[in-house]
Amino acid sequence: MNAFEVNFDGLVGPTHHYGGLAAGNLASQKNKQCVSHPRQAALEGLAKMKLLFDLGLKQAVLPPHPRPHLEFLRSSGLTGTDAELITQAAKTRPDLLSMAYSSAAMWTANAATVSPSMDTADGRVHLTPANLISTKHRSLEAEDTTKILRSIFRDTHSFVVYDPLPRHRLLADEGAANHTRLCKSYGKPGIELFVYGRDEEDHNAPAPHRYAARQTLQACERIASLHELPPARRLFIQQNPEAIDAGVFHNDVIAVGNENVLLCHELAFVEQRASLQKIRAAMDCEQIIEVRSSELSLAEAVSTYLFNSQLVTLPEGGGEGVTSSVVKQMLLLCPSECETHPRARAVIDRILAEPNPINQVRFIDVRQSMKNGGGPACLRLRVVLTELELSRLHGNVLLTEELYRQLCDWVTRQYREELSLADLGDPLLMEEVQTALTELEGILHLG
């Protein structure tokens, strides 16, 4: 079956700022109250999309969410007109104002969990938007994410978009940041690896001490059931609590997989040796590249975001329809921080020198996102689609040269160069954002 992996990247929103809202995200905490650069952030994200598009990969965009979230401010007890809400929040509850203006939806690895049609019993693509209840500001995203996904994936013959899981501690779900699909090739059935941080029904299970584990086993099991995945195509592995306490709030900060390759740190999973053996058995002994702590510590993995690189198969080496004599060619798209960090760079060089499909590396500047704790892989939601499914997407969301030009022009005209926490109290910012997002609706045609 001819199939492609499509990266749906989040457009960085015009309210991108450093509110330090995510406990356990060390970069977010470190850069709290720094001045952000929304225009630069959005252009960095678009440059990453364009790089992959130019390499022949399928690339799409997801729009920013409407901001500020006025309903949230009103539900928090603030009253008045829209402008009065903003002014009042700035004076009395700046923390709530920062949440209402959060642009964290740009990290679309948290948008949903996706199972492609070749894995599911009914032969449709299944998407479950994440409820993100572990952090207040991100829990505001679920409703708008669902609307956006149902607009793009509206053809019910090919797609099903579920409601987010109920907002209950038992079912805390962080989306694809804790989900990896491994397969021989995109068009063949695969193994879906669900990584959870805690088991709400087993209080004796390993647990972190410093930071909360965000994803539950019960949420993973519920999604696997919703997506009609056969038992042989689902695998549940627990994240190492030591890694969570080191700042690995999602599994995609410590592991990344693509087709038949899994790249991970040796402290990624509980009982790592046994966990990797389960994965090898499920994948018929495919390639696992393990990075030792002696090569790169957990602290260094978090500071460089090496494992939050995007691992992609280049079309000329790994697409469907190639002969078996053609070796897969995979690219590791790393944040620029990995290029200048000697030990991270040494790990990359070691990987490139070894006999495995990863034989190219590119470094990309997404520093504005990195300062808030999101690397290249955080900025994209991976969706495997057949040619027919690709043709059934709604809206002008697949990147083209023209769409890229339009979006860069839109960002340059509509985004502020700088944004501080104090600027969030300016009612004019709300008007600017609403004007910008109205224009974007006309560009993406998602109505």
Side-chain angles (χ1 to χ4, degrees):
M1 182 184 297
N2 200 14
F4 311 91
E5 181 179 79
V6 185
N7 289 294
F8 282 78
D9 278 43
L11 284 168
V12 178
T15 64
H16 162 68
H17 69 279
Y18 301 126
L21 299 172
N25 181 329
L26 301 188
S28 172
Q29 296 296 303
K30 177 183 177 181
N31 294 297
K32 182 177 181 178
Q33 298 187 354
C34 287
V35 174
S36 67
H37 296 82
R39 185 185 305 160
Q40 178 185 339
L43 292 176
E44 286 175 355
L46 282 164
K48 180 177 81 73
M49 298 183 221
K50 184 61 161 54
L51 186 155
L52 292 174
F53 171 78
D54 287 342
L55 289 171
L57 296 163
K58 304 293 184 184
Q59 180 66 57
V61 298
L62 293 176
H65 288 191
R67 288 295 180 263
H69 199 297
L70 297 174
E71 182 182 344
F72 166 67
L73 293 178
R74 288 197 169 89
S75 69
S76 301
L78 301 177
T79 59
T81 65
D82 293 353
E84 288 170 345
L85 279 178
I86 299 300
T87 302
Q88 185 182 359
K91 290 179 179 178
T92 63
R93 293 299 305 271
D95 57 327
L96 297 183
L97 186 60
S98 179
M99 293 179 191
Y101 264 121
S102 170
S103 62
M106 64 197 243
W107 295 306
T108 56
N110 298 116
T113 302
V114 184
S115 296
S117 56
M118 53 286 302
D119 291 356
T120 62
D122 68 355
R124 293 188 294 172
V125 179
H126 291 235
L127 305 95
T128 298
N131 59 30
L132 297 172
I133 60 172
S134 295
T135 51
K136 184 61 179 178
H137 68 295
R138 299 222 62 182
S139 70
L140 303 178
E141 299 169 19
E143 182 178 352
D144 285 316
T145 296
T146 304
K147 290 178 181 177
I148 291 168
L149 293 179
R150 282 182 172 156
S151 178
I152 295 171
F153 300 97
R154 63 173 58 180
D155 188 320
T156 56
H157 295 289
S158 295
F159 314 114
V160 53
V161 180
Y162 297 99
D163 289 333
L165 298 184
R167 296 169 58 86
H168 189 284
R169 178 178 171 82
L170 183 71
L171 298 173
D173 174 34
E174 299 283 305
N178 292 319
H179 174 264
T180 302
R181 179 177 186 261
L182 300 171
C183 56
K184 296 288 186 181
S185 59
Y186 295 131
K188 297 184 181 299
I191 300 298
E192 301 202 18
L193 175 62
F194 293 84
V195 180
Y196 63 95
R198 69 179 194 269
D199 181 347
E200 277 291 299
E201 296 178 339
D202 182 0
H203 299 297
N204 295 317
H209 301 289
R210 186 178 184 187
Y211 299 119
R214 299 187 185 182
Q215 181 87 26
T216 66
L217 169 61
Q218 289 70 29
C220 295
E221 291 173 334
R222 180 72 64 88
I223 292 170
S225 178
L226 278 175
H227 289 198
E228 301 182 19
L229 299 177
R233 304 222 166 273
R234 54 175 85 171
L235 193 60
F236 305 102
I237 302 289
Q238 185 173 2
Q239 189 176 357
N240 190 336
E242 183 181 348
I244 295 174
D245 280 338
V248 182
F249 51 97
H250 292 135
N251 181 63
D252 67 358
V253 180
I254 204 66
V256 59
N258 177 59
E259 290 197 314
N260 64 334
V261 175
L262 176 66
L263 170 62
C264 65
H265 193 275
E266 70 170 341
L267 297 176
F269 310 113
V270 168
E271 298 180 357
Q272 177 110 343
R273 182 174 297 180
S275 294
L276 294 185
Q277 184 54 42
K278 289 180 182 178
I279 296 171
R280 286 190 179 96
M283 282 301 297
D284 192 22
C285 297
E286 294 299 332
Q287 298 196 48
I288 297 177
I289 303 170
E290 198 172 7
V291 176
R292 301 293 180 186
S293 295
S294 58
E295 296 179 280
L296 198 72
S297 68
L298 280 176
E300 290 170 320
V302 171
S303 66
T304 63
Y305 265 40
L306 170 62
F307 297 95
N308 200 249
S309 301
Q310 285 184 241
L311 183 57
V312 298
T313 301
L314 298 176
E316 61 269 25
E320 292 295 321
V322 298
T323 64
S324 59
S325 63
V326 177
V327 178
K328 288 184 187 296
Q329 306 289 315
M330 291 191 186
L331 167 74
L332 195 63
L333 182 63
C334 303
S336 56
E337 285 78 359
C338 292
E339 185 175 21
T340 56
H341 190 282
R343 281 162 59 83
R345 184 60 192 263
V347 169
I348 293 168
D349 290 341
R350 189 261 289 179
I351 293 170
L352 293 175
E354 291 179 347
N356 64 71
I358 305 175
N359 61 4
Q360 293 190 44
V361 62
R362 294 282 189 98
F363 299 97
I364 191 76
D365 180 1
V366 286
R367 286 189 176 92
Q368 283 291 305
S369 178
M370 286 283 287
K371 286 182 68 176
N372 238 346
C378 286
L379 288 161
R380 61 91 177 94
L381 177 68
R382 309 166 82 168
V383 184
V384 171
L385 299 172
T386 65
E387 289 183 333
L388 177 61
E389 292 160 353
L390 195 66
S391 71
R392 289 178 171 173
L393 296 177
H394 173 71
N396 182 34
V397 295
L398 288 173
L399 197 68
T400 61
E401 293 281 356
E402 174 60 18
L403 180 58
Y404 174 73
R405 184 197 64 75
Q406 285 182 293
L407 292 174
C408 287
D409 173 69
W410 171 73
V411 167
T412 301
R413 288 185 293 101
Q414 297 284 11
Y415 280 45
R416 291 191 181 189
E417 177 59 33
E418 295 184 348
L419 197 63
S420 68
L421 290 181
D423 292 332
L424 301 182
D426 178 7
L428 289 177
L429 175 63
M430 175 176 58
E431 297 177 13
E432 293 172 16
V433 173
Q434 290 171 348
T435 298
L437 296 186
T438 297
E439 181 180 346
L440 182 62
E441 288 179 6
I443 295 173
L444 299 182
H445 307 308
L446 286 180

